[in-house]
Amino acid sequence: MKLLARTGFWLLVIVIAFFALFPFYYAIISSFRTGSALFSVAYWPETFDLSNYFAVFERQPFGRNILNSIIVSGSVVVLSLALGITAAYAFGRIAFRGRSLMLMTILAVSMFPQVAVLAGMFELIRSFGLYNTLPGLILANLMLTLPFTIWVLTTFMRELPKEIEEAAFVDGATPWIVVRRVFLPLMAPAAVTTGLLAFIVSWNEFLFALTFTLTNERRTVPPAIALMSGSTAYELPWGTIMAGSVIVTIPIIVLVLVFQRKIVAGLTAGAVKG
Amino acid sequence: MADVVLKNVQKSFGRVKIIHGVDLDIRDGEFVVFVGPSGCGKSTLLRLIAGLEDITAGELFIDGERVNDLVPAKRGIAMVFQSYALYPHMNVYDNMAFGLELAKSSKAQIDAKVREAARMLQIDNLLDRKPRQLSGGQRQRVAIGRAIVRDPKVFLFDEPLSNLDAALRVQTRIEIAKLHSDTRATMIYVTHDQVEAMTLADRIVVLNGGRIEQVGTPLDLYHRPANLFVAGFIGSPQMNLIACEVAGVGPDEVLVSLPSGGTLSVPVAPETLQPGEAVTLGVRPDHVRVSPQGSLTGRVELVEELGENHLLYVDMGQGRRLTIREPGDARHEAGSTIALEIDRTSCHLFKASGEALPSRAGSPRPAPSSPDLTRVA
Amino acid sequence: MIMSSAVAQAGVSAQHQARGRSSSLTRSRVRAAWLFIAPSLIVVTLIAGWPLARTIWFSFTDASLNDLSDYKFIGLENYLANYDGEWFGILIEPDWWHSVWNTLWFTVVSVSLETVLGIVVALILNAAFPGRGLMRAVILIPWAIPTIVSAKMWSWMLHDQFGVINDLLLRLGLIAAPVTWTANADTALWAAVMVDVWKHTSFMALLILAALQMLPQDIYEAAKVDGVSPVRVFFRVTLPLIKPALLVAVIFRSLDALRVFDLIYVLTSNSKDTASMSVYARQQLVDFQEVGLGSAASTLIFLIIALVVVITLAAGRVRLGEDPR
Ligand SMILES: Nc1ncnc2c1ncn2[C@@H]1O[C@H](COP(=O)(O)OP(=O)(O)OP(=O)(O)O)[C@@H](O)[C@H]1O
Ligand SMILES: [Mg+2]
């Protein structure tokens, strides 16, 4: 009976792990197959052909797309954290009139459907002359990351002991110095967590990137992959698409493996404590 | 060096009033200790003086200057917190230097001050450590060091020793006393611990429910509690409080009839007291003696041996209980019946309002054995 | 860059205030609070509040994408209008209602599946076994992979001719002929659900796991001593205790699923039959350049989601901004 339970348990573990990993595994082996080999199903890696990986960079500016994604996501993370930490200090530790209402509004914004701001955002980005530019995407992505950054950092900020802040005030610190010299170092782990989440959100963003860019050179990775087309309009270049997918997924997987604990902490801080 | 004057200081959190008008005059160089039951507002009062909370009404002067509207750093104070509140990411040196650095002191000046304070507190070998690498006692020294380097006019301590173990508490207490005698700075100190209060204080402020019950020297409070609250709060074990009735009044004494029969003449000024009025008789456990000639009798319920002395809990009938402290080892067992005698000259008498009647017994005699002032929670 | 210098300025003036003579700590902190949130407030207003307001405004106009400055106010005509006894407008548009139905169906089915599977995964991860940390990372991977990439991977796996899933099912004898998973409206939504479950079960599981780990252990020991069966313990003890966290997770996921775009857009190739609300709105806005109609759809989506949010907040499940400092 006990043996049965243990076997069942491990079976379940294996099934879950298989379900979680198989699509990625399959993408990898597909990315190593070309031409007509793709038109048969393979379960095991048979060939190790890198031509799809070369093709993905030759047929379109995929390197440029990756660079765009890095620039956009990196800027979004930096801006969100810079704005978020000061705001989180105010929201998390200072009682002022309207605080709850504003925090509630910010939480509500983080639940906005993206499409609800699409028309207005399009107009805004055009009027700033940012259509089909990376700054335009950065600005748009802030709408996705800033509210939850503020929210998550606020929940972390609340947990820091109040005496440390008071000791700093007695020492002659101003609120700005408290944030910069005392809380910023203490918030570093929380900032890493939140920054990772913001990075992943921005790295994966599709709707804005699809709508606010026009040319292949300005696209980030998600629309670049979504819009990859082959030599004929009817046949999608699956091998290349899988190669591109593998390339952009590997850094994310590394991030997840390295920062697993931090990501989980951020996810649950934003939701459970909220 | 500075005096601290509170004029009708009040504090409300939202609609709840926590401090109900405190008037207090703390002299330059004085060591004042705030005591009182948990939640009475000791910390709040200290934080009002520090400037960490806004004063709702009233005025606060430090060194003659009205400081109601000054931020903590401008008040010339330094504060030591119960939780140490060290900056976890800075080493000991930087923890102590932070305030000076913010005050734009020169590097050399900072270095001199930090090292001197560290030497004084014997933490000069720890300057490179982070707070988490320190023991509780070392952390508290760093916190004190951080206060010292600021050269404050007033030191504020909020239960600085309560996270330390008993031996370290005694040691650090002595160091704080030494710090006071060295610097002659004004110090305000909040504690739960009666020994700390009695040993450190020039004057003790007893707070209750956001009001001052009494201000006085430690012995003043012990020998001449102004009211029932202070009488019950100061001294351990607690003073015996016995509900009585006035049987008669003389010019310098009041005759009370004891609940268990008999009368006792207490040498206090009767003021407007009339026979028949309800009063409370207060007598410390040290001032009740077991004596064959005693007019009171009771049954020993429990004996507690403390070594140098012992406590007897005596049932006086009708659920009334008397605590007695006698020197040496106990000579009576639980269950035995003993006769007791009350030292009438050391008795206190409180009116129904709780106020004490002025004693007419001359200067109080010292207690037979030094009172064991243990911590009351 | 504009923002960071604003923050710096906020700092400078906060410092200035503290040096000022008549400024208590509370007042200087409150002033600092406003300076600290000002940049964020400005940004959020600019990139969320203003665009939303413009979208709502556009929904009352006949604006078109190629010239957003040339439009006229047409009242509620995008929503509902009557010309010569005939009704027009999005509110009687079958395609719109179809997309609403698709979205609701997708949300209910995928969130339900994710909840049940999430509980199972969370219970497994809550047990102590070697490799538990690795397992946690493994289930996080689908969540972290860009939705577009997941959609593409699954499209390939679900390919009607060369897909591994058809191949597998054929070999197992579960189907007689290859299924056109993504091209057929009936199976396409199921395919979308499958990918969504693959991607988001881990999110659900992690939130539930966090709640599980906060449960006091002694109840379980007590139940063990009393000989209560594990299944009973789960339904009688665990489930009621994690219910608040479960609710939060379900709400978060539902709000997310209601605005689904990427997955359906890529997986079912922008088809009308499987469109979600967001796909429909973007199609009007961008593909047909009908900013007025598209904005009307966007506004409706916003209202639907706002309604869900308001109901949730009103139900008091989400505690907000309590006890600062
Ligand atoms: N920020 C605050 N908001 C509301 N009420 C408060 C606040 N700070 C303190 N109080 C209340 O004021 C009262 C006095 O608190 P205070 O901390 O001064 O007590 P204390 O005498 O220091 O107690 P203890 O000995 O337990 O430290 C308590 O009832 C407390 O609940
Ligand atoms: Mg206190």
Side-chain angles (χ1 to χ4, degrees), chain C residues 48-280:
Chain C
W50 171 252
L52 177 70
R54 288 300 285 175
T55 301
I56 295 173
W57 166 249
F58 281 136
S59 78
F60 300 119
T61 70
D62 63 353
S64 150
L65 197 65
N66 49 36
D67 188 359
L68 273 176
S69 57
D70 177 30
Y71 57 81
K72 64 175 191 299
F73 183 78
I74 57 167
L76 289 172
E77 281 183 27
N78 285 323
Y79 296 93
L80 198 60
N82 194 334
Y83 293 110
D84 309 328
E86 229 189 305
W87 290 95
F88 294 90
I90 189 170
L91 286 175
I92 54 141
E93 174 67 56
D95 283 351
W96 160 252
W97 288 112
H98 194 63
S99 75
V100 172
W101 168 248
N102 283 343
T103 311
L104 291 180
W105 186 90
F106 171 81
T107 302
V108 171
V109 175
S110 58
V111 174
S112 310
L113 284 173
E114 283 156 20
T115 308
V116 174
L117 293 174
I119 291 174
V120 173
V121 174
L123 286 174
I124 286 178
L125 287 176
N126 198 34
F129 63 94
R132 175 168 138 189
L134 187 69
M135 187 67 185
R136 212 159 59 148
V138 162
I139 64 154
L140 254 183
I141 287 173
W143 169 83
I145 290 179
T147 309
I148 294 310
V149 171
S150 333
K152 282 291 180 191
M153 286 177 181
W154 280 87
S155 296
W156 176 229
M157 286 170 40
L158 291 166
H159 198 278
D160 49 353
Q161 295 166 52
F162 320 120
V164 64
I165 290 181
N166 274 340
D167 187 74
L168 207 64
L169 293 177
L170 282 170
R171 277 166 197 252
L172 293 174
L174 290 175
I175 50 172
V179 179
T180 51
W181 292 102
T182 55
N184 180 334
D186 292 335
T187 50
L189 274 182
W190 275 110
V193 165
M194 182 149 71
V195 182
D196 199 67
V197 168
W198 177 73
K199 186 174 163 64
H200 286 122
T201 297
S202 58
F203 175 82
M204 210 55 140
L206 290 172
L207 293 199
I208 296 167
L209 180 64
L212 283 178
Q213 288 175 342
M214 278 191 272
L215 294 183
Q217 283 308 304
D218 43 1
I219 343 175
Y220 289 97
E221 274 148 28
K224 217 173 197 170
V225 170
D226 294 347
V228 186
S229 84
V231 178
R232 241 178 113 81
V233 170
F234 174 78
F235 282 104
R236 289 294 183 77
V237 181
T238 312
L239 205 54
L241 283 175
I242 61 167
K243 209 170 111 193
L246 202 60
L247 251 138
V248 171
V250 166
I251 289 159
F252 266 66
R253 275 301 309 136
S254 304
L255 292 174
D256 219 23
L258 282 174
R259 52 194 170 182
V260 62
F261 174 79
D262 321 16
L263 181 59
I264 292 192
Y265 182 87
V266 173
L267 200 65
T268 70
S269 41
N270 219 359
S271 138
K272 211 166 29 181
D273 294 330
T274 54
S276 69
M277 296 191 295
S278 293
V279 170
Y280 176 90

Side-chain angles (χ1 to χ4, degrees), chain A residues 19 30 43 83 92-93 99 104 111-112 115-116 120-121 123 143 151 158 165 176 204 211 252 260-261 274, chain C residues 7 11 29 40 47 54-55 133 136 144 146 156 167-168 198 255 259 282 298 318-321 324-325:
Chain A
F19 187 59
S30 300
Y43 291 91
L83 292 171
R93 308 195 63 92
R99 191 191 79 239
M104 189 118 70
M111 296 174 183
F112 267 21
V115 74
M121 188 78 90
E123 185 197 33
M143 180 221 141
W151 181 253
R158 276 197 190 129
E165 185 183 356
W176 173 241
N204 298 356
T211 310
I252 295 285
Q260 184 232 120
R261 255 162 222 294
Chain C
V7 173
R29 287 177 88 227
S40 291
I47 62 176
R54 288 300 285 175
T55 301
R136 212 159 59 148
W156 176 229
D167 187 74
L168 207 64
W198 177 73
L255 292 174
R259 52 194 170 182
R282 184 183 181 277
S298 299
V318 183
R319 287 171 294 113
L320 277 168
R325 305 189 42 166

Side-chain angles (χ1 to χ4, degrees), chain B residues 20-324:
Chain B
H20 303 263
V22 164
D23 285 293
L24 187 61
D25 205 332
I26 298 171
R27 289 184 290 270
D28 181 16
E30 199 173 16
F31 199 123
V32 167
V33 174
F34 293 172
V35 294
S38 189
C40 69
K42 305 180 292 290
S43 299
T44 305
L45 197 54
L46 197 73
R47 293 160 53 78
L48 289 174
I49 296 170
L52 294 171
E53 302 279 3
D54 277 359
I55 295 172
T56 308
E59 288 185 300
L60 172 65
F61 298 87
I62 295 179
D63 206 7
E65 186 187 6
R66 185 178 184 276
V67 295
N68 283 45
D69 294 326
L70 290 190
V71 294
K74 302 278 143 202
R75 295 187 179 194
I77 52 115
M79 184 149 170
V80 177
F81 296 83
Q82 176 177 358
S83 58
Y84 321 129
L86 300 178
Y87 310 118
H89 56 295
M90 298 185 194
N91 65 21
V92 168
Y93 185 97
D94 292 337
N95 259 287
M96 297 209 279
F98 188 59
L100 296 173
E101 194 189 315
L102 292 179
K104 306 253 166 1
S105 304
S106 75
K107 275 245 154 46
Q109 219 176 340
I110 295 176
D111 198 63
K113 276 192 176 173
V114 169
R115 288 189 191 285
E116 192 201 319
R119 207 165 27 250
M120 203 164 130
L121 293 162
Q122 292 157 12
I123 48 173
D124 34 4
N125 55 334
L126 306 175
L127 288 174
D128 295 328
R129 294 221 197 146
K130 290 276 171 65
R132 65 169 176 279
Q133 299 166 307
L134 301 176
S135 71
Q138 289 167 334
R139 282 179 212 188
Q140 196 52 282
R141 281 155 195 267
V142 176
I144 293 172
R146 184 169 64 181
I148 291 174
V149 296
R150 290 178 52 75
D151 260 339
K153 294 187 270 192
V154 183
F155 279 92
L156 306 175
F157 297 90
D158 193 354
E159 306 195 28
L161 308 184
S162 56
N163 284 352
L164 305 181
D165 67 33
L168 211 51
R169 206 151 53 214
V170 173
Q171 193 190 334
T172 317
R173 187 179 86 210
I174 293 166
E175 269 162 34
I176 290 176
K178 194 162 156 289
L179 178 68
H180 182 237
S181 67
D182 288 352
T183 60
R184 297 314 307 172
T186 312
M187 292 190 173
I188 306 176
Y189 188 105
V190 169
T191 184
H192 266 122
D193 187 313
Q194 289 210 19
V195 184
E196 275 171 38
M198 297 296 277
T199 53
L200 287 172
D202 293 326
R203 279 194 300 162
I204 294 178
V205 177
V206 182
L207 289 164
N208 182 29
R211 292 193 174 81
I212 291 185
E213 293 284 353
Q214 190 175 1
V215 183
T217 64
L219 289 180
D220 238 3
L221 298 192
Y222 187 79
H223 293 302
R224 281 179 294 278
N227 53 42
L228 265 176
F229 179 82
V230 177
F233 191 78
I234 301 282
S236 174
Q238 236 194 354
M239 182 186 281
N240 293 297
L241 297 170
I242 305 158
C244 303
E245 208 173 83
V246 177
V249 293
D252 272 334
E253 61 176 357
V254 174
L255 196 65
V256 296
S257 53
L258 299 170
S260 46
T263 55
L264 188 73
S265 144
V266 184
V268 294
E271 295 188 332
T272 59
L273 223 50
Q274 296 295 323
E277 263 184 70
V279 287
T280 306
L281 176 72
V283 54
R284 295 213 181 269
D286 310 285
H287 301 141
V288 186
R289 271 188 300 278
V290 182
S291 142
Q293 292 88 45
S295 53
L296 302 166
T297 54
R299 205 174 56 87
V300 179
E301 267 188 321
L302 181 70
V303 182
E304 282 182 351
E305 298 274 14
L306 297 169
E308 63 211 278
N309 53 38
H310 64 273
L311 301 178
L312 299 175
Y313 298 94
V314 184
D315 180 8
M316 304 300 290
Q318 290 144 38
R320 274 185 297 268
R321 185 199 264 172
L322 217 54
T323 311
I324 302 168

Side-chain angles (χ1 to χ4, degrees), chain A:
Chain A
M1 187 60 214
K2 196 144 188 201
L3 189 74
L4 204 70
R6 287 229 64 78
T7 321
F9 177 84
W10 280 104
L11 220 59
L12 213 52
V13 169
I14 289 166
V15 166
I16 292 167
F18 176 81
F19 187 59
L21 293 180
F22 182 77
F24 188 61
Y25 164 79
Y26 193 67
I28 293 176
I29 55 172
S30 300
S31 70
F32 291 136
R33 310 172 80 222
T34 47
S36 55
L38 275 170
F39 301 143
S40 65
V41 175
Y43 291 91
W44 304 108
E46 290 158 353
T47 52
F48 189 73
D49 184 346
L50 287 176
S51 56
N52 282 325
Y53 287 86
F54 294 119
V56 78
F57 287 99
E58 278 157 13
R59 282 204 214 133
Q60 66 241 331
F62 199 61
R64 179 72 223 185
N65 297 144
I66 292 177
L67 186 66
N68 289 346
S69 268
I70 291 174
I71 293 172
V72 170
S73 306
S75 316
V76 166
V77 168
V78 170
L79 286 173
S80 301
L81 287 180
L83 292 171
I85 284 192
T86 47
Y89 169 74
F91 282 126
R93 308 195 63 92
I94 303 177
F96 58 94
R97 206 169 305 159
R99 191 191 79 239
S100 290
L101 185 71
M102 262 187 281
L103 207 50
M104 189 118 70
T105 311
I106 282 179
L107 182 66
V109 169
S110 72
M111 296 174 183
F112 267 21
Q114 260 176 290
V115 74
V117 298
L118 201 62
M121 188 78 90
F122 193 90
E123 185 197 33
L124 185 80
I125 282 181
R126 267 225 192 136
S127 68
F128 283 172
L130 297 176
Y131 181 67
N132 199 29
T133 66
L134 298 185
L137 283 187
I138 293 170
L139 196 65
N141 280 355
L142 273 180
M143 180 221 141
L144 300 176
T145 57
L146 184 57
F148 90 75
T149 307
I150 294 176
W151 181 253
V152 175
L153 288 176
T154 299
T155 65
F156 279 113
M157 196 64 100
R158 276 197 190 129
E159 275 162 26
L160 298 177
K162 119 177 159 181
E163 281 82 9
I164 290 188
E165 185 183 356
E166 293 180 339
F169 284 128
V170 171
D171 264 345
T174 60
W176 173 241
I177 289 180
V178 167
V179 171
R180 201 164 52 87
R181 299 276 309 270
V182 181
F183 280 162
L184 198 58
L186 298 182
M187 287 289 283
V192 171
T193 297
T194 323
L196 277 168
L197 293 185
F199 187 88
I200 290 175
V201 165
S202 177
W203 183 263
N204 298 356
E205 199 287 322
F206 177 61
L207 178 52
F208 287 158
L210 179 70
T211 310
F212 302 146
T213 55
L214 193 61
T215 55
N216 232 338
E217 280 70 32
R218 296 298 170 84
R219 288 203 178 109
T220 55
V221 167
I225 289 184
L227 300 177
M228 266 182 199
S229 53
S231 34
T232 70
Y234 301 101
E235 212 35 73
L236 286 175
W238 285 109
T240 345
I241 292 177
M242 288 304 120
S245 299
V246 170
I247 292 170
V248 299
T249 304
I250 280 174
I252 295 285
I253 290 184
V254 171
L255 277 186
V256 167
L257 290 179
V258 173
F259 293 108
Q260 184 232 120
R261 255 162 222 294
K262 291 203 167 295
I263 293 174
V264 173
L267 280 178
T268 49
V272 173
K273 284 178 204 147

